[in-house]
Amino acid sequence: ERERFTMDQMSSRAVREAFNRLHEEKLLYRAERLINWCPRCSTALSDLEVDHQETKGELYKFAYPLADGSGEIVVATTRPETMLGDTAVAVHPDDPRYENFVGKKIRHPIVGREFPIIADAELVDPKFGTGAVKVTPAHSFEDFEAGKRNHLPLVNILNPDGTLNENAGPFRGQDRIKVRPALKARIAELGLQRGTEPHNYSIGHCQRCGSVVEPLLSKQWFVSMKPLAEPVVHAVEAGRIRFVPEVWQAEFFRWLHNIHDWCISRQLWWGHQIPAWYCENDHVTVARETPSKCATCGSTSLRQDPDVLDTWFSSGLWPFSTLGWPERTAALETFYPNSVMETGFDILFFWVARMAMLGLHLCGEVPFRTVFLHAMVRDEKGEKMSKTRGNVIDPLDVTDKHGADALRMTLASMAGQGRDIKLSTERIAGYRAFANKIWNAARFVLMNANGYDPDHPAQPASVYDRWILSRLSRLADETRAAMDDFRLSEAANGIYKFVWGELCDWAIELAKPALYDQLGAGAKASAQATLVRALEGALRLLHPFMPFVTEEVWQRLPKAKGHAPSIMIADYPRGKGYQVDPVAEREMDLVARAIEGARSVRGEVNLPPNQPVPIVLLPRDAGVQRTFRDHEPAFRKLANASRVTVLAPRAKRPANAAVHVEAEVEVHLPLRGLIDFGAEKVRVEKEIGKIEADLLGIEKRLGNPGFVARAPAEVVEKDRARAAELQAKRDKLARHLSRVASPEESMNEQSNGRNHDGEDEEQEQGHRGADQMGTHGGPAQGQPAGGSGAAPGGEEEDKPETSSHPGFSSEAEAEKEEGGGAGAASAEDEEEGIAAQAITRVKSIARGLMTKKEDADEEGGPQSEIEKLEEMAEIAPKIQKRAAKRKASKSTRGKTGKPDVRRKSVRGAKNKASKAGKVGARGKLGRQAAAKGAKKGTRGGAKKQKGRPVGKGDRRAATGRGPGSRGQGRTSAKGGRGKTGGKQRPSARRSAR
Ligand SMILES: [Zn+2]
Ligand SMILES: [Zn+2]
């Protein structure tokens, strides 16, 4: 209904109206002026349509003989052929060299014309060239001004097609560029050549065809810009228009302050014809309707100006011409001014500025309040897309192949402010997979929604149901906040992570037993209602980014009576529409970390994903024990546990088990009988050998300064990334090898050790407390999302933890883990495990990637292999370095043995306890640690929270890990990247690039 075309009737009418009004106000005029002329396109161009390029050329010097034969004056020029149009030579009035020349006449050696030597301080820089300047008023903007100042005649030597006209004498008819050698030859022949020197200068090219643009004297229509620009400057200063990103405001001002009159006539076929008519007496009649006679002499023989208007003239009227202007239509009243103008920064002046100027002038108000300038879309290497390079991604091809939703979501998710979008089809394909994911999730939810009554939905009963709705609540608020701030990529990525990483990967999986009637009618009703609500809410959040698939799926979902007929007009979700449940989030966080830990170990020992394995959980205390009893099915479902045993808090650890340690729980995977240790050892050793050979080659290359200096940065970067990747892989395998090589020994935790004062490390840590060190995971339960469960125990806690967590796999996180390890060394008997911890972090990332591949039922997400490697590369070297350092420090402490992941088992609890100084009934680990804590005279007592030995660091480390914590803050939305989030989602960091 509101579809408009710049050439339609409505626009035409607005164009004529605007032209006439501006003309009546003397803001639009016709004048003979120097304009930019493209000889190939045969049209005038505005300044903005001329691209200036730095060109290597020469400064050509030749002598003009004085008319009285008393001598010569040497001038320098980059364009000798323009001498045919010279009408003066100018010198600086204070230049003693030419004191006696001013006022004398020159006789043009080729065309015979006589012209003066003048003094002009503005035009001449005495230090440049010879200090004498030829003046060509008809073919240079500067000279045109000088000509006006000095009343010089204009001699046009060019035809519109770029050939020389009759004023060029013997060179008439030749092309202005090709004539140069002949002209120079002639000057030399006359004995007037005076040498050359190399010189770089800027030359204008036609934006359309690339031809050299000529300043040409021509009668054109102009809009007087200064009177239009000034009010816009004031409007922006007064805050009536704001720019996002803000940096563009300065650029906008810079242009407005230096604005020249706008040449609006074009000698093209296509466009709005200029509403001006000429009679045989050359009178001009400007009118809204085609006039019947000349307004001056009454002649009826009228001819309309054959020129058309610059397309940006009609585009500049767009915000109101489309609404019926000049009529005061209801649409105009309603929608003018509009709120947001969104476009690329490359047309900020062409379009945005002109809309602002014309809108403010003609309608009395700026046309929009916010100008949102989005990123430039480039190819995946960051290069500008161009037909000649062949790297253009045609949006129509892409939408044919992957769908409009996928493209739109890709662009939104990558549109971090102030950055270019490096678009790759791979990424778009990833978002097509996302659309499929939504479709499949919806199909599953609908298939299992029998009996669900949207008008009387069951309340969420299980912790899983409460958790996912709590997450949705947070997501809704975060998304709204991001949208309000134009952080579109954050909004899009947050929804993506929720849908894929939380709703699909966890909530739907965890709801299956309930949906399959295994837990009773109440549980089923709760799961049904929860999944439909969560999906429905997510669809509405996602709708602006993926309009088609969301509408299609939404229409099929059961909805309460009186719902909107389309998702397009349904309310955008708000957090308060769902119940925030910190208790459920904390519990899910713990469970998710334990499950991820089990998966992590599975990946490290190369257990095939379809190989069930028994899982033994050793909880810290009875509360944790009870919690895990409720979640056994989750381990079966999500960690492929063949059976789950929840031990009593102080029970004996299983033998021959690989273990993942969280502060609250140890996750043991007894592996004997599941992997052939001997064969695996051989295989791994072989693989390590191969990797080390590769690594050696790359390191050799990188160690060669010549290579690093000469090779393209891209290649070096790639090598570095590859090296880091190989290192990480090698270490991962080494860890694995140590496991399979001596399963008995290495799989039993060690807890002997001597006391060691870790204060130095702590100081080294700075703000980090020792209690957070070394836990692979760390308890989350100390801190409800709202922060109510924990009193601040130190400076660190002053920060709301919701915003303090940088994300699971971010570099910062890796460093944190790192630091954690170092601090943990203070708990002497855990020392050895520390280096392993860092490596485990890398491994767990690698493992996340592996698991991703293993999830064969889903298409890969947008995060490409390369990105993963990049990610590894970023994190691994740091970790390695520190791990090495740690190993060294370990040996100085006389600690024996290699770092062993399994040994960290004790550490988490111990550190915590050492900080808290209290363990009570928390088991052997706790007791050991308590002793240590006491010895240290720990500050932990003061820091303990609610009587539980949960340190700030533990919580911090935990935040953002599991699904439960993901939404606790903005940062976590970026990085929350446990198994769930990390899987198929594109890294926020990456997409921000
Ligand atoms: Zn051109
Ligand atoms: Zn007339």
Side-chain angles (χ1 to χ4, degrees):
E1 190 194 346
R2 292 194 196 278
E3 189 171 294
R4 291 285 180 266
F5 175 52
T6 44
M7 292 291 285
D8 66 18
Q9 193 70 46
M10 206 174 203
S11 182
S12 271
R13 192 162 162 237
V15 164
R16 283 199 172 189
E17 177 67 27
F19 191 97
N20 274 270
R21 261 198 223 182
L22 292 170
H23 185 255
E24 285 155 14
E25 293 164 340
K26 310 237 182 296
L27 291 170
L28 190 151
Y29 60 93
R30 186 170 184 241
E32 183 156 55
R33 285 261 192 111
L34 220 48
I35 46 94
N36 295 294
W37 181 263
C38 175
R40 185 152 181 281
C41 298
S42 202
T43 184
L45 302 172
S46 73
D47 292 348
L48 286 174
E49 290 164 296
V50 179
D51 289 334
H52 291 274
Q53 288 164 19
E54 199 60 23
T55 309
K56 269 187 191 164
E58 58 171 25
L59 205 55
Y60 176 81
K61 286 183 242 176
F62 67 93
Y64 268 130
L66 298 184
D68 60 9
S70 65
E72 62 176 35
I73 187 162
V74 178
V75 295
T77 176
T78 55
R79 298 198 61 187
E81 62 277 5
T82 58
M83 63 96 73
L84 297 168
D86 284 356
T87 57
V89 164
V91 297
H92 198 275
D94 302 333
D95 192 335
R97 291 173 291 178
Y98 300 115
E99 230 169 9
N100 301 322
F101 284 76
V102 177
K104 290 195 169 175
K105 291 262 174 185
I106 285 165
R107 174 167 294 117
H108 198 289
I110 294 172
V111 295
R113 184 167 61 235
E114 283 196 6
F115 52 85
I117 296 172
I118 59 169
D120 189 308
E122 233 175 287
L123 182 67
V124 182
D125 171 8
K127 288 192 247 16
F128 181 79
T130 61
V133 176
K134 58 192 275 310
V135 186
T136 327
H139 296 286
S140 150
F141 290 99
E142 283 179 314
D143 294 4
F144 181 81
E145 296 301 321
K148 274 205 291 194
R149 282 194 297 274
N150 296 283
H151 312 289
L152 300 174
L154 296 156
V155 175
N156 176 22
I157 58 167
L158 282 183
N159 293 311
D161 65 356
T163 58
L164 299 176
N165 65 17
E166 65 281 359
N167 289 333
F171 297 99
R172 172 184 184 172
Q174 298 199 43
D175 179 83
R176 86 254 189 236
I177 290 169
K178 290 184 192 137
V179 76
R180 189 176 298 173
L183 182 96
K184 281 159 73 172
R186 178 75 187 126
I187 290 172
E189 209 177 284
L190 291 167
L192 299 172
Q193 191 166 307
R194 296 292 179 268
T196 61
E197 54 188 72
H199 180 65
N200 293 345
Y201 62 106
S202 166
I203 190 160
H205 294 264
C206 169
Q207 211 174 55
R208 283 194 195 83
C209 74
S211 302
V212 171
V213 167
E214 296 294 340
L216 193 75
L217 198 62
S218 169
K219 214 169 219 183
Q220 303 286 348
W221 288 94
F222 295 87
V223 176
S224 184
M225 295 305 264
K226 280 201 162 63
L228 296 178
E230 241 164 62
V232 171
V233 171
H234 295 148
V236 174
E237 279 169 352
R240 280 151 70 200
I241 299 180
R242 75 171 177 127
F243 289 85
V244 179
E246 217 172 305
V247 292
W248 286 107
Q249 181 176 316
E251 193 66 5
F252 190 71
F253 279 154
R254 190 187 57 75
W255 190 71
L256 288 183
H257 287 312
N258 295 296
I259 202 159
H260 297 289
D261 284 0
W262 175 19
C263 173
I264 52 168
S265 41
R266 296 288 180 278
Q267 292 66 47
L268 301 170
W269 286 106
W270 188 249
H272 290 282
Q273 196 172 355
I274 287 174
W277 288 261
Y278 310 103
C279 72
E280 66 268 33
N281 300 319
D282 228 15
H283 298 134
V284 183
T285 304
V286 172
R288 289 168 174 79
E289 303 295 336
T290 307
S292 52
K293 54 187 195 328
C294 171
T296 311
C297 68
S299 162
T300 53
S301 160
L302 290 179
R303 178 178 56 86
Q304 188 173 2
D305 193 319
D307 290 355
V308 298
L309 287 165
D310 180 1
T311 180
W312 296 108
F313 187 83
S314 51
S315 298
L317 310 175
W318 191 252
F320 42 98
S321 68
T322 48
L323 299 172
W325 184 88
E327 303 289 327
R328 300 290 324 169
T329 62
L332 189 66
E333 298 290 343
T334 310
F335 296 114
Y336 193 94
N338 216 315
S339 47
V340 179
M341 172 69 208
E342 187 273 332
T343 189
F345 59 78
D346 52 333
I347 51 176
L348 176 61
F349 308 129
F350 278 109
W351 195 27
V352 177
R354 281 148 181 182
M355 284 191 287
M357 288 186 275
L358 292 170
L360 186 52
H361 184 76
L362 295 169
C363 297
E365 183 48 290
V366 293
F368 27 70
R369 298 299 180 196
T370 301
V371 176
F372 175 43
L373 297 166
H374 63 64
M376 213 49 178
V377 180
R378 297 177 183 271
D379 77 357
E380 53 198 307
K381 293 186 198 106
E383 286 183 30
K384 198 171 172 179
M385 289 191 191
S386 84
K387 278 184 190 152
T388 43
R389 276 206 194 96
N391 62 349
V392 175
I393 297 177
D394 183 337
L396 294 180
D397 288 349
V398 170
T399 44
D400 277 351
K401 220 179 278 168
H402 302 297
D405 278 347
L407 178 61
R408 188 180 170 101
M409 182 68 178
T410 305
L411 293 173
S413 72
M414 297 178 76
Q417 279 179 25
R419 293 163 195 267
D420 289 342
I421 295 175
K422 295 182 188 173
L423 189 62
S424 71
T425 47
E426 195 187 343
R427 205 179 254 279
I428 301 166
Y431 283 107
R432 182 190 55 183
F434 182 50
N436 287 343
K437 187 84 186 169
I438 293 168
W439 187 260
N440 290 333
R443 204 172 49 179
F444 176 84
V445 169
L446 285 172
M447 264 168 31
N448 291 285
N450 276 342
Y452 167 64
D453 176 2
D455 289 311
H456 304 94
Q459 287 308 301
S462 76
V463 66
Y464 308 133
D465 295 344
R466 282 152 48 212
W467 164 73
I468 193 70
L469 292 175
S470 182
R471 289 291 308 120
L472 178 58
S473 173
R474 295 185 192 280
L475 176 73
D477 285 340
E478 286 162 9
T479 304
R480 276 178 171 268
M483 301 262 261
D484 285 347
D485 282 358
F486 295 95
R487 288 178 280 118
L488 298 186
S489 56
E490 283 177 38
N493 292 331
I495 303 164
Y496 178 93
K497 286 173 204 160
F498 174 82
V499 171
W500 198 309
E502 296 183 319
L503 181 58
C504 293
D505 283 354
W506 290 84
I508 288 180
E509 289 304 313
L510 293 169
K512 281 178 178 172
L515 293 176
Y516 297 163
D517 291 321
Q518 291 161 10
L519 306 172
K524 181 174 183 174
S526 162
Q528 286 178 327
T530 299
L531 291 184
V532 173
R533 287 183 69 201
L535 178 62
E536 194 273 340
L539 289 173
R540 278 186 285 139
L541 284 171
L542 183 60
H543 178 67
F545 301 101
M546 301 185 84
F548 298 104
V549 69
T550 49
E551 178 78 274
E552 185 68 30
V553 171
W554 191 81
Q555 289 296 344
R556 293 162 193 247
L557 290 182
K559 291 180 286 292
K561 283 193 194 78
H563 66 80
S566 161
I567 193 173
M568 285 189 279
I569 53 173
D571 288 342
Y572 203 63
R574 288 176 189 282
K576 65 182 180 198
Y578 308 91
Q579 182 68 45
V580 172
D581 191 331
V583 175
E585 288 192 20
R586 279 204 305 283
E587 185 167 335
M588 265 306 285
D589 175 62
L590 170 60
V591 172
R593 278 184 286 119
I595 289 175
E596 287 169 358
R599 288 174 168 178
S600 157
V601 174
R602 293 186 60 109
E604 282 162 29
V605 299
N606 270 337
L607 263 192
N610 57 3
Q611 165 79 64
V613 63
I615 290 181
V616 179
L617 299 170
L618 179 59
R620 181 184 60 197
D621 56 42
V624 174
Q625 183 186 13
R626 270 193 305 279
T627 299
F628 276 105
R629 282 215 183 107
D630 296 337
H631 293 287
E632 291 183 25
F635 281 85
R636 292 176 192 274
K637 193 105 216 133
L638 293 169
N640 199 9
S642 55
R643 76 178 175 276
V644 183
T645 312
V646 183
L647 299 174
R650 264 162 285 170
K652 193 172 179 318
R653 291 179 175 74
N656 302 336
V659 64
H660 169 89
V661 177
E662 293 290 333
E664 305 93 331
V665 64
E666 295 173 24
V667 183
H668 293 263
L669 277 71
L671 293 173
R672 174 124 305 175
L674 291 174
I675 55 177
D676 176 344
F677 290 104
E680 185 66 3
K681 180 167 178 273
V682 172
R683 184 189 72 80
V684 174
E685 279 170 348
K686 215 163 133 189
E687 208 176 326
I688 290 178
K690 218 176 111 215
I691 287 172
E692 283 185 335
D694 286 355
L695 197 52
L696 199 67
I698 295 174
E699 280 171 348
K700 223 166 151 184
R701 203 157 55 223
L702 286 174
N704 174 358
F707 168 77
V708 176
R710 275 192 303 274
E714 216 179 288
V715 172
V716 174
E717 218 26 67
K718 217 166 146 186
D719 264 3
R720 288 201 172 121
R722 173 85 183 138
E725 174 212 343
L726 288 172
Q727 280 163 4
K729 205 166 155 189
R730 181 193 58 193
D731 291 334
K732 171 172 149 57
L733 287 167
R735 302 300 321 135
H736 175 40
L737 185 63
S738 78
R739 244 177 203 143
V740 298
S742 53
E744 280 299 338
E745 183 219 325
S746 67
M747 283 181 189
N748 286 314
E749 49 112 354
Q750 291 194 355
S751 55
N752 65 321
R754 47 191 195 89
N755 291 331
H756 171 79
D757 185 351
E759 278 313 311
D760 49 343
E761 274 97 349
E762 275 186 44
Q763 256 140 42
E764 199 182 308
Q765 296 300 321
H767 64 284
R768 300 177 47 77
D771 57 351
Q772 72 193 80
M773 305 311 176
T775 51
H776 188 163
Q781 34 177 268
Q783 183 74 316
S788 59
E795 66 282 9
E796 191 63 16
E797 268 102 345
D798 292 343
K799 268 194 241 163
E801 94 171 25
T802 51
S803 63
S804 66
H805 199 275
F808 187 75
S809 70
S810 71
E811 201 166 315
E813 170 72 4
E815 279 183 309
K816 195 183 261 189
E817 280 300 319
E818 270 308 304
S826 65
E828 59 281 68
D829 61 350
E830 266 95 38
E831 226 165 38
E832 299 164 311
I834 295 152
Q837 289 259 285
I839 290 169
T840 305
R841 172 57 59 229
V842 172
K843 267 189 289 186
S844 83
I845 292 159
R847 177 258 314 159
L849 304 176
M850 278 164 59
T851 326
K852 171 175 165 179
K853 274 187 216 146
E854 288 158 9
D855 283 332
D857 59 326
E858 284 147 17
E859 296 184 54
Q863 191 185 19
S864 70
E865 289 297 317
I866 293 164
E867 287 167 5
K868 291 177 236 156
L869 298 184
E870 276 176 18
E871 195 164 278
M872 302 265 299
E874 279 176 19
I875 299 162
K878 279 201 175 105
I879 292 185
Q880 294 227 296
K881 217 162 72 198
R882 303 218 190 163
K885 204 170 113 196
R886 230 174 281 128
K887 270 180 215 164
S889 75
K890 228 182 305 168
S891 58
T892 59
R893 281 184 204 123
K895 192 71 189 176
T896 59
K898 295 187 169 138
D900 190 313
V901 187
R902 266 136 266 104
R903 291 193 181 128
K904 77 188 170 213
S905 51
V906 212
R907 186 154 30 86
K910 183 165 299 174
N911 291 330
K912 221 180 336 127
S914 71
K915 179 57 78 95
K918 147 154 190 186
V919 267
R922 289 184 222 291
K924 167 180 146 204
L925 307 179
R927 282 198 311 279
Q928 290 170 345
K932 202 164 303 150
K935 206 165 289 167
K936 273 172 83 175
T938 168
R939 47 185 214 258
K943 290 204 174 183
K944 96 190 144 186
Q945 293 131 14
K946 280 197 152 181
R948 288 190 312 101
V950 174
K952 56 192 178 183
D954 293 309
R955 292 198 323 273
R956 281 174 51 107
T959 314
R961 267 273 167 85
S965 57
R966 192 149 299 118
Q968 290 185 0
R970 264 183 57 194
T971 46
S972 67
K974 249 185 197 150
R977 177 189 270 270
K979 166 92 234 151
T980 55
K983 255 169 82 175
Q984 274 88 357
R985 104 168 73 87
S987 140
R989 260 179 314 134
R990 207 115 284 117
S991 51
R993 274 185 197 162

